[in-house]
Amino acid sequence: MAAEQVTPTSYITHHLTFNAKSIGDGGFWTLHVDSIVTAVVLGLVGIGFIWWVVRKATPGVPGKLQAFVELMIEFVDDQVKDTFTHGDRHKFVAPVALTVFVWVVLMNAMDFIPVDWIAWFTEHVLHQDNWRPVPTADVNTTFALALSVWLLMIFFSIQVKGLGGWLHEIFCAPFGVKPLWLAPLLIVFNLLFNIVEYVSKPLSHSLRLFGNMYAGEIIFILLWIWAATGLAGTIFGSALAVGWAIFHILIVLLQAFIFMMLTVVYIAMAHEHH
Amino acid sequence: MNLNLTLIAQAVAFAIFIWFTAKFVWPFLMRAIEARQKQVADGLAAAERGRAELAAAGKQSETTVAEARARAQDIISSAEKRAAEMIDEAKSAAKSEGERLVAGAKAEIAQEVARAKESLREQVASLAVAGAEKILRREVDAKAHADMLSGLKAELK
């Protein structure tokens, strides 16, 4: 990179290229090392921090760290309590919501670190050419989360209603099968409807987060390009980047919250009988 | 923006994080929070109990004070009664004593009077004898006129 002339195109391309490692034949057998490493490190930091605080949790007067963690956990728990009323939420759903929320917030928040600082670090310390710092701006990450939730949704659906009940729901809901002479047509419609629903849920779930984060990342990159075009560009680009970063705080938290809420809602819906 | 193995790797990481949170993070904090909620509930219950006890103690002390006051009233009235009785007794004792003294004095006076009468009678008798002697210019033989003298003495009684 250093030897070439940096153009806007090469700059954008550089920041939007994954650190991909091919581990087999074909396009699928590729790992985005940057997404995975960043995501796992952030997960370890976030969940590990909470675990570290919670391990020493006391029922007495909590310290500042414990109060912070409790605040966060009770916030998540309140959301789950309002949505999920189909059993013991403490066993699975609430921990899932907490994991999703903390992890996604941290992954989204990587947007706040200026991309070129990260690029410098990964290039000069880790000796990697490309490094995309925001794992949630990688569609693989958001799909991984959404599809995991999707599988959980199907799993709980079958667990609660039984395989027969689940299949019955797929063919007989939401339009029912009455009157009888219309039944074949209704079954087709029910099936189509459910397929659309089952496809659209993970798609909207993952693409909403991905789109927001990707757009945020690109706007930052564009502002940094402007900031490199001279004094006026530096001043206005930086000022706008500050504004965008402040607005982006809202987006980061909001998208993480939406992602968590949808996770809970989808799992709760899987527990409902039609 | 192509889907690849990263998806599965991230899903595995996600599963591990969920497992870890559900197993090691959530229960710990929930335990602490629930223990604290119990402590707070216990504290509130204890405070409520304390308040009830305080109210009961207040009522108790009120009745005790009322009882004590009634008893004091009783004691005072009985003491007053007793005092009145004592005064009456003293009065009657003094009265009878006075009467006794008066009666004694009267008896003494009567005695004195009797004694004075006796001596007056003696003196009058002797005066009468002396007077008669003077009148008769001669000696009255006390022995010869004893009958007359004793008759005179009896007349003076």
Side-chain angles (χ1 to χ4, degrees), chain B residues 124-137:
Chain B
V124 168
S126 51
L127 275 177
V129 172
E133 267 177 348
K134 280 202 175 130
I135 294 164
L136 295 176
R137 294 272 178 211

mmCIF file with all atom_site columns, all heavy atoms in Angstrom, chain B residues 124-137:
data_model
loop_
_atom_site.group_PDB
_atom_site.id
_atom_site.type_symbol
_atom_site.label_atom_id
_atom_site.label_alt_id
_atom_site.label_comp_id
_atom_site.label_asym_id
_atom_site.label_entity_id
_atom_site.label_seq_id
_atom_site.pdbx_PDB_ins_code
_atom_site.Cartn_x
_atom_site.Cartn_y
_atom_site.Cartn_z
_atom_site.occupancy
_atom_site.B_iso_or_equiv
_atom_site.pdbx_formal_charge
_atom_site.auth_seq_id
_atom_site.auth_comp_id
_atom_site.auth_asym_id
_atom_site.auth_atom_id
_atom_site.pdbx_PDB_model_num
ATOM 1  N N   . VAL B 1 124 ? -69.773 28.940 161.829 1.00 0.00 ? 124 VAL B N   1
ATOM 2  C CA  . VAL B 1 124 ? -71.065 29.570 162.206 1.00 0.00 ? 124 VAL B CA  1
ATOM 3  C C   . VAL B 1 124 ? -71.529 29.064 163.563 1.00 0.00 ? 124 VAL B C   1
ATOM 4  O O   . VAL B 1 124 ? -71.984 29.828 164.449 1.00 0.00 ? 124 VAL B O   1
ATOM 5  C CB  . VAL B 1 124 ? -72.118 29.291 161.106 1.00 0.00 ? 124 VAL B CB  1
ATOM 6  C CG1 . VAL B 1 124 ? -73.525 29.665 161.629 1.00 0.00 ? 124 VAL B CG1 1
ATOM 7  C CG2 . VAL B 1 124 ? -71.789 30.079 159.869 1.00 0.00 ? 124 VAL B CG2 1
ATOM 8  N N   . ALA B 1 125 ? -71.354 27.732 163.746 1.00 0.00 ? 125 ALA B N   1
ATOM 9  C CA  . ALA B 1 125 ? -71.787 27.145 165.021 1.00 0.00 ? 125 ALA B CA  1
ATOM 10 C C   . ALA B 1 125 ? -71.017 27.761 166.178 1.00 0.00 ? 125 ALA B C   1
ATOM 11 O O   . ALA B 1 125 ? -71.608 28.173 167.208 1.00 0.00 ? 125 ALA B O   1
ATOM 12 C CB  . ALA B 1 125 ? -71.564 25.628 164.985 1.00 0.00 ? 125 ALA B CB  1
ATOM 13 N N   . SER B 1 126 ? -69.665 27.843 165.932 1.00 0.00 ? 126 SER B N   1
ATOM 14 C CA  . SER B 1 126 ? -68.864 28.409 167.009 1.00 0.00 ? 126 SER B CA  1
ATOM 15 C C   . SER B 1 126 ? -69.193 29.885 167.217 1.00 0.00 ? 126 SER B C   1
ATOM 16 O O   . SER B 1 126 ? -69.258 30.380 168.352 1.00 0.00 ? 126 SER B O   1
ATOM 17 C CB  . SER B 1 126 ? -67.367 28.186 166.755 1.00 0.00 ? 126 SER B CB  1
ATOM 18 O OG  . SER B 1 126 ? -67.014 28.609 165.482 1.00 0.00 ? 126 SER B OG  1
ATOM 19 N N   . LEU B 1 127 ? -69.425 30.595 166.058 1.00 0.00 ? 127 LEU B N   1
ATOM 20 C CA  . LEU B 1 127 ? -69.823 31.996 166.139 1.00 0.00 ? 127 LEU B CA  1
ATOM 21 C C   . LEU B 1 127 ? -71.138 32.121 166.896 1.00 0.00 ? 127 LEU B C   1
ATOM 22 O O   . LEU B 1 127 ? -71.316 32.977 167.765 1.00 0.00 ? 127 LEU B O   1
ATOM 23 C CB  . LEU B 1 127 ? -69.978 32.600 164.750 1.00 0.00 ? 127 LEU B CB  1
ATOM 24 C CG  . LEU B 1 127 ? -68.708 33.153 164.084 1.00 0.00 ? 127 LEU B CG  1
ATOM 25 C CD1 . LEU B 1 127 ? -69.018 33.636 162.709 1.00 0.00 ? 127 LEU B CD1 1
ATOM 26 C CD2 . LEU B 1 127 ? -68.130 34.328 164.922 1.00 0.00 ? 127 LEU B CD2 1
ATOM 27 N N   . ALA B 1 128 ? -72.038 31.233 166.597 1.00 0.00 ? 128 ALA B N   1
ATOM 28 C CA  . ALA B 1 128 ? -73.353 31.274 167.244 1.00 0.00 ? 128 ALA B CA  1
ATOM 29 C C   . ALA B 1 128 ? -73.195 31.027 168.733 1.00 0.00 ? 128 ALA B C   1
ATOM 30 O O   . ALA B 1 128 ? -73.817 31.733 169.582 1.00 0.00 ? 128 ALA B O   1
ATOM 31 C CB  . ALA B 1 128 ? -74.257 30.197 166.628 1.00 0.00 ? 128 ALA B CB  1
ATOM 32 N N   . VAL B 1 129 ? -72.296 30.079 169.052 1.00 0.00 ? 129 VAL B N   1
ATOM 33 C CA  . VAL B 1 129 ? -72.068 29.771 170.455 1.00 0.00 ? 129 VAL B CA  1
ATOM 34 C C   . VAL B 1 129 ? -71.477 30.988 171.151 1.00 0.00 ? 129 VAL B C   1
ATOM 35 O O   . VAL B 1 129 ? -71.925 31.410 172.238 1.00 0.00 ? 129 VAL B O   1
ATOM 36 C CB  . VAL B 1 129 ? -71.159 28.552 170.592 1.00 0.00 ? 129 VAL B CB  1
ATOM 37 C CG1 . VAL B 1 129 ? -70.750 28.328 172.067 1.00 0.00 ? 129 VAL B CG1 1
ATOM 38 C CG2 . VAL B 1 129 ? -71.870 27.310 170.068 1.00 0.00 ? 129 VAL B CG2 1
ATOM 39 N N   . ALA B 1 130 ? -70.453 31.556 170.410 1.00 0.00 ? 130 ALA B N   1
ATOM 40 C CA  . ALA B 1 130 ? -69.816 32.735 170.976 1.00 0.00 ? 130 ALA B CA  1
ATOM 41 C C   . ALA B 1 130 ? -70.804 33.862 171.165 1.00 0.00 ? 130 ALA B C   1
ATOM 42 O O   . ALA B 1 130 ? -70.817 34.542 172.208 1.00 0.00 ? 130 ALA B O   1
ATOM 43 C CB  . ALA B 1 130 ? -68.647 33.180 170.081 1.00 0.00 ? 130 ALA B CB  1
ATOM 44 N N   . GLY B 1 131 ? -71.680 34.028 170.165 1.00 0.00 ? 131 GLY B N   1
ATOM 45 C CA  . GLY B 1 131 ? -72.706 35.077 170.209 1.00 0.00 ? 131 GLY B CA  1
ATOM 46 C C   . GLY B 1 131 ? -73.646 34.830 171.373 1.00 0.00 ? 131 GLY B C   1
ATOM 47 O O   . GLY B 1 131 ? -73.936 35.759 172.166 1.00 0.00 ? 131 GLY B O   1
ATOM 48 N N   . ALA B 1 132 ? -74.058 33.645 171.553 1.00 0.00 ? 132 ALA B N   1
ATOM 49 C CA  . ALA B 1 132 ? -74.974 33.295 172.607 1.00 0.00 ? 132 ALA B CA  1
ATOM 50 C C   . ALA B 1 132 ? -74.325 33.526 173.950 1.00 0.00 ? 132 ALA B C   1
ATOM 51 O O   . ALA B 1 132 ? -74.963 34.069 174.880 1.00 0.00 ? 132 ALA B O   1
ATOM 52 C CB  . ALA B 1 132 ? -75.376 31.817 172.480 1.00 0.00 ? 132 ALA B CB  1
ATOM 53 N N   . GLU B 1 133 ? -73.023 33.203 174.101 1.00 0.00 ? 133 GLU B N   1
ATOM 54 C CA  . GLU B 1 133 ? -72.273 33.399 175.324 1.00 0.00 ? 133 GLU B CA  1
ATOM 55 C C   . GLU B 1 133 ? -72.286 34.872 175.686 1.00 0.00 ? 133 GLU B C   1
ATOM 56 O O   . GLU B 1 133 ? -72.484 35.248 176.830 1.00 0.00 ? 133 GLU B O   1
ATOM 57 C CB  . GLU B 1 133 ? -70.821 32.910 175.157 1.00 0.00 ? 133 GLU B CB  1
ATOM 58 C CG  . GLU B 1 133 ? -70.641 31.495 175.591 1.00 0.00 ? 133 GLU B CG  1
ATOM 59 C CD  . GLU B 1 133 ? -69.203 31.008 175.342 1.00 0.00 ? 133 GLU B CD  1
ATOM 60 O OE1 . GLU B 1 133 ? -68.418 31.689 174.640 1.00 0.00 ? 133 GLU B OE1 1
ATOM 61 O OE2 . GLU B 1 133 ? -68.871 29.928 175.800 1.00 0.00 ? 133 GLU B OE2 1
ATOM 62 N N   . LYS B 1 134 ? -72.053 35.672 174.633 1.00 0.00 ? 134 LYS B N   1
ATOM 63 C CA  . LYS B 1 134 ? -72.004 37.111 174.869 1.00 0.00 ? 134 LYS B CA  1
ATOM 64 C C   . LYS B 1 134 ? -73.352 37.597 175.344 1.00 0.00 ? 134 LYS B C   1
ATOM 65 O O   . LYS B 1 134 ? -73.469 38.462 176.227 1.00 0.00 ? 134 LYS B O   1
ATOM 66 C CB  . LYS B 1 134 ? -71.597 37.841 173.607 1.00 0.00 ? 134 LYS B CB  1
ATOM 67 C CG  . LYS B 1 134 ? -70.098 37.753 173.447 1.00 0.00 ? 134 LYS B CG  1
ATOM 68 C CD  . LYS B 1 134 ? -69.591 38.868 172.549 1.00 0.00 ? 134 LYS B CD  1
ATOM 69 C CE  . LYS B 1 134 ? -68.072 38.785 172.540 1.00 0.00 ? 134 LYS B CE  1
ATOM 70 N NZ  . LYS B 1 134 ? -67.535 38.796 171.225 1.00 0.00 ? 134 LYS B NZ  1
ATOM 71 N N   . ILE B 1 135 ? -74.377 37.079 174.672 1.00 0.00 ? 135 ILE B N   1
ATOM 72 C CA  . ILE B 1 135 ? -75.726 37.475 175.014 1.00 0.00 ? 135 ILE B CA  1
ATOM 73 C C   . ILE B 1 135 ? -76.022 37.032 176.444 1.00 0.00 ? 135 ILE B C   1
ATOM 74 O O   . ILE B 1 135 ? -76.534 37.785 177.245 1.00 0.00 ? 135 ILE B O   1
ATOM 75 C CB  . ILE B 1 135 ? -76.754 36.889 174.060 1.00 0.00 ? 135 ILE B CB  1
ATOM 76 C CG1 . ILE B 1 135 ? -76.533 37.501 172.647 1.00 0.00 ? 135 ILE B CG1 1
ATOM 77 C CG2 . ILE B 1 135 ? -78.207 37.120 174.516 1.00 0.00 ? 135 ILE B CG2 1
ATOM 78 C CD1 . ILE B 1 135 ? -77.199 36.780 171.572 1.00 0.00 ? 135 ILE B CD1 1
ATOM 79 N N   . LEU B 1 136 ? -75.698 35.948 176.835 1.00 0.00 ? 136 LEU B N   1
ATOM 80 C CA  . LEU B 1 136 ? -76.049 35.400 178.144 1.00 0.00 ? 136 LEU B CA  1
ATOM 81 C C   . LEU B 1 136 ? -75.104 35.844 179.204 1.00 0.00 ? 136 LEU B C   1
ATOM 82 O O   . LEU B 1 136 ? -75.353 35.689 180.361 1.00 0.00 ? 136 LEU B O   1
ATOM 83 C CB  . LEU B 1 136 ? -76.067 33.882 178.081 1.00 0.00 ? 136 LEU B CB  1
ATOM 84 C CG  . LEU B 1 136 ? -77.138 33.248 177.184 1.00 0.00 ? 136 LEU B CG  1
ATOM 85 C CD1 . LEU B 1 136 ? -76.953 31.775 177.162 1.00 0.00 ? 136 LEU B CD1 1
ATOM 86 C CD2 . LEU B 1 136 ? -78.539 33.622 177.675 1.00 0.00 ? 136 LEU B CD2 1
ATOM 87 N N   . ARG B 1 137 ? -74.010 36.338 178.752 1.00 0.00 ? 137 ARG B N   1
ATOM 88 C CA  . ARG B 1 137 ? -72.982 36.820 179.631 1.00 0.00 ? 137 ARG B CA  1
ATOM 89 C C   . ARG B 1 137 ? -72.542 35.717 180.530 1.00 0.00 ? 137 ARG B C   1
ATOM 90 O O   . ARG B 1 137 ? -71.984 35.856 181.561 1.00 0.00 ? 137 ARG B O   1
ATOM 91 C CB  . ARG B 1 137 ? -73.458 38.047 180.496 1.00 0.00 ? 137 ARG B CB  1
ATOM 92 C CG  . ARG B 1 137 ? -73.729 39.256 179.686 1.00 0.00 ? 137 ARG B CG  1
ATOM 93 C CD  . ARG B 1 137 ? -72.400 40.008 179.589 1.00 0.00 ? 137 ARG B CD  1
ATOM 94 N NE  . ARG B 1 137 ? -72.633 41.220 178.736 1.00 0.00 ? 137 ARG B NE  1
ATOM 95 C CZ  . ARG B 1 137 ? -71.656 41.712 177.985 1.00 0.00 ? 137 ARG B CZ  1
ATOM 96 N NH1 . ARG B 1 137 ? -70.471 41.139 178.000 1.00 0.00 ? 137 ARG B NH1 1
ATOM 97 N NH2 . ARG B 1 137 ? -71.870 42.773 177.255 1.00 0.00 ? 137 ARG B NH2 1
#
